[in-house]
Amino acid sequence: MQRTLLLAKIHNCTLTGANINYVGSISIDRILLEKAGILPYEQVQVVNNANGERFITYAIPAPAHSGVIELNGAAARLGIIGDRLIIMTYGQFTPEELKSYSPTVVIVDENNRLLEVRRYDDLLSKV
């Protein structure tokens, strides 16, 4: 049996743009993607703290160190510049893989600059 758990998240980032005319997805500063371990075109769930919207799309890299977090296509209607977002990926794990599992959490400032990368090594030991 496999279980689906949080793999990584970029926590409390700031929406910097919304482009309704783009084909789709969410653009994310390449450095934040790399630090979180999120791959280009990987499925992500986005939670908008300002309006409660939750949706699924895929990540595309924005220029490194740009601070860009931009909703594209139809998703652009689900937030406005300045909204705070949480971007998450999930993974499926076997019981054996869970023994060494630890989600990655990327913490950013209000300009989407990297502050800290956390690993929740002891998360499952408390369950």
Side-chain angles (χ1 to χ4, degrees):
M1 171 179 65
Q2 292 190 323
R3 309 212 45 187
T4 303
L5 287 86
L6 177 70
L7 184 58
K9 75 175 177 174
I10 302 170
H11 186 73
N12 210 28
C13 56
T14 304
L15 184 60
T16 61
N19 183 352
I20 193 73
N21 296 314
Y22 191 84
V23 176
S25 68
I26 184 170
S27 301
I28 302 169
D29 183 312
R30 181 179 297 276
I31 296 301
L32 300 180
L33 286 178
E34 289 173 3
K35 293 297 184 181
I38 299 172
L39 299 175
Y41 311 109
E42 184 171 356
Q43 178 178 298
V44 294
Q45 179 182 34
V46 180
V47 177
N48 186 329
N49 289 332
N51 62 21
E53 290 285 350
R54 289 179 171 260
F55 56 94
I56 294 174
T57 188
Y58 60 94
I60 60 171
H65 304 289
S66 64
V68 167
I69 303 289
E70 182 175 85
L71 297 178
N72 300 308
R77 299 210 182 268
L78 302 177
I80 59 171
I81 294 172
D83 284 355
R84 300 307 285 253
L85 309 178
I86 301 171
I87 302 166
M88 298 170 282
T89 61
Y90 299 90
Q92 294 185 339
F93 301 89
T94 65
E96 190 63 32
E97 290 170 321
L98 287 174
K99 292 177 183 175
S100 61
Y101 160 79
S102 179
T104 301
V105 180
V106 172
I107 308 295
V108 298
D109 67 12
E110 62 278 353
N111 296 310
N112 299 325
R113 304 288 184 225
L114 179 67
L115 292 177
E116 182 180 358
V117 178
R118 295 181 185 167
R119 301 281 305 183
Y120 290 155
D121 293 321
D122 63 342
L123 184 65
L124 290 179
S125 66
K126 296 178 182 176
V127 177

